[in-house]
Amino acid sequence: MSAIIKIKPLGFPWETTDPFLFCAYHEDQYPQGNNKLGPNASLEGRNIGQDFNAKDGWRMYHGTTIPGFPAHPHRGFETVTIVQKGLVDHSDSLGAAGRFGNGDVQWMTAGKGVQHSEMFPLLNSDKENPFLLFQIWLNLPRDKKMVPPHFKMLWNEEIPNLISKDENNKVTEILIVAGKLQGKIAPTPAPDSWASSPENDVAIWTIKMEPNAQYTFPNASEGTNRSFYFFKGNEIISEGYTIPVNHEIITNGNQSFTLKNGDTESHLLMLQGKPINEPVVKHGPFVMNSQIEIQEAILEYQQTEFGGWPWPTYDHVHDKTKGRFALYPDGREIIK
């Protein structure tokens, strides 16, 4: 029986299957930065505050002077933010903060509610600021929807990287953000994360294949959903199919799956997990099990702002001189 269930084009954001909600893929070729850590370029012709058009190869998103996403709330799910290029400045309603990127991952369990901003400071004033980010929304089951919010940094130095050579000495490189592969185990995610339980079979891997490289992914457990998102390259081959770039490959998780790359370097993201199999009701940044719970989330946010906003601006960024760091609500700080 074929391991491939379906092949379909990628949209925006990328569609995902239970337990995932969606994946947003952002790649921008930002210009040199100015003294406010925004782009040293004219913003004329952009829909500032809602700029999702890749004019000149980059976007401001919801930012007005600095690209990114100013303060906004979340409840009822987790975000996994993989920053392959560039930097993200995090600030939140718990008083926590951080600057991370260039291979780092932030795992945030929103739980009962948190407000945070994600801004993209352009620190390089003498050269371009390339940026590449995946943000994966991972659902929480009913019994974890209202856990205390928390984030954890998975620093790039801690994330295991599997280097595999096929019989022709061609290399496939797999970064294990979540789950395990060939004896390599990802760092533990945030506290109260549903994904931390091995029985839920959650795995998140980024994959880079040399031209003509081949790799066989081992099977997951019965009932596990698994998808491969082919976002950069030319074509890959599997089970008689030649699959062009910008396609999702949905596979049977309980079967092994072999990919053979074409003649250019290819990049993929793999998402895997057991389905939660509960009702999903979404309203913007809130993901609950019923419409009543959504209404309760909106009302509570209007009344409390999930703790308020302790930073001077909603698009807060950290000092240009700061390196990678994480400041937690208890005052503990990690500097990299």
Side-chain angles (χ1 to χ4, degrees), residues 9 15 33 44 46 59 82 98 108 115 118 122 135 166 168 172 209 215 222 238 252 275 290 299 320 325:
E15 293 182 2
E44 187 177 351
R46 295 182 180 274
R59 308 160 184 84
I82 304 170
M108 188 181 80
Q115 191 178 178
E118 303 156 290
L122 308 183
Q135 185 166 90
D166 62 21
N168 296 314
T172 296
M209 304 183 77
Y215 184 80
E222 186 75 29
S238 182
N252 282 308
S290 70
L299 180 61
K320 183 176 182 177
F325 77 98

Side-chain angles (χ1 to χ4, degrees), residues 72-329:
H72 57 280
H74 289 305
R75 171 179 276 188
F77 62 99
E78 306 186 75
T79 59
V80 183
T81 306
I82 304 170
V83 188
Q84 289 193 338
K85 298 178 185 176
L87 294 166
V88 172
D89 276 6
H90 167 95
S91 310
D92 68 33
S93 55
L94 305 175
R99 172 172 285 167
F100 61 97
N102 296 321
D104 298 327
V105 176
Q106 186 200 60
W107 195 302
M108 188 181 80
T109 303
K112 65 182 180 181
V114 67
Q115 191 178 178
H116 77 151
S117 64
E118 303 156 290
M119 306 307 299
F120 312 149
L122 308 183
L123 298 192
N124 297 326
S125 57
D126 57 349
K127 59 181 180 180
E128 292 186 339
N129 290 270
F131 185 80
L132 195 160
L133 172 149
F134 307 93
Q135 185 166 90
I136 302 153
W137 285 27
L138 174 60
N139 199 13
L140 285 169
R142 181 178 284 106
D143 63 352
K144 285 190 175 289
K145 289 282 189 193
M146 299 295 283
V147 297
H150 195 89
F151 80 87
K152 182 177 180 182
M153 288 308 311
L154 313 183
W155 302 108
N156 66 60
E157 297 91 343
E158 303 165 357
I159 300 172
N161 197 20
L162 175 68
I163 307 293
S164 176
K165 293 185 178 181
D166 62 21
E167 59 183 13
N168 296 314
N169 221 32
K170 300 295 184 180
V171 172
T172 296
E173 185 175 348
I174 303 173
L175 196 70
I176 306 166
V177 174
K180 60 183 179 180
L181 181 63
Q182 292 186 211
K184 292 183 178 288
I185 302 174
T188 304
D192 293 311
S193 169
W194 178 82
S196 64
S197 175
E199 66 185 22
N200 296 325
D201 210 10
V202 172
I204 300 172
W205 305 332
T206 62
I207 303 156
K208 181 171 73 174
M209 304 183 77
E210 276 190 342
N212 304 307
Q214 180 171 302
Y215 184 80
T216 298
F217 297 86
N219 63 292
S221 59
E222 186 75 29
T224 295
N225 291 329
R226 177 187 272 182
S227 288
F228 293 81
Y229 299 84
F230 178 29
F231 65 91
K232 189 173 293 187
N234 183 20
E235 61 183 28
I236 50 179
I237 299 164
S238 182
E239 300 184 1
Y241 296 98
T242 299
I243 304 161
V245 71
N246 293 321
H247 278 74
E248 175 189 358
I249 311 162
I250 302 171
T251 71
N252 282 308
N254 62 338
Q255 293 188 46
S256 61
F257 179 63
T258 300
L259 282 177
K260 187 177 190 309
N261 191 22
D263 57 6
T264 61
E265 183 178 277
S266 289
H267 294 254
L268 303 95
L269 173 72
M270 196 282 300
L271 300 180
Q272 166 191 301
K274 285 282 183 69
I276 293 173
N277 288 326
E278 290 181 359
V280 174
V281 180
K282 294 183 283 187
H283 182 86
F286 307 128
V287 182
M288 304 301 290
N289 296 110
S290 70
Q291 190 61 46
I292 290 175
E293 290 171 332
I294 291 290
Q295 293 169 356
E296 290 171 348
I298 293 170
L299 180 61
E300 184 174 338
Y301 176 63
Q302 290 172 341
Q303 292 175 339
T304 70
E305 292 189 325
F306 295 155
W309 189 248
W311 306 97
T313 62
Y314 287 114
D315 60 351
H316 181 69
V317 291
H318 310 304
D319 190 271
K320 183 176 182 177
T321 61
K322 288 190 74 70
R324 295 152 61 224
F325 77 98
L327 174 66
Y328 292 96

Side-chain angles (χ1 to χ4, degrees), residues 36-47:
K36 295 182 179 179
L37 306 188
N40 189 13
S42 171
L43 301 182
E44 187 177 351
R46 295 182 180 274
N47 184 17

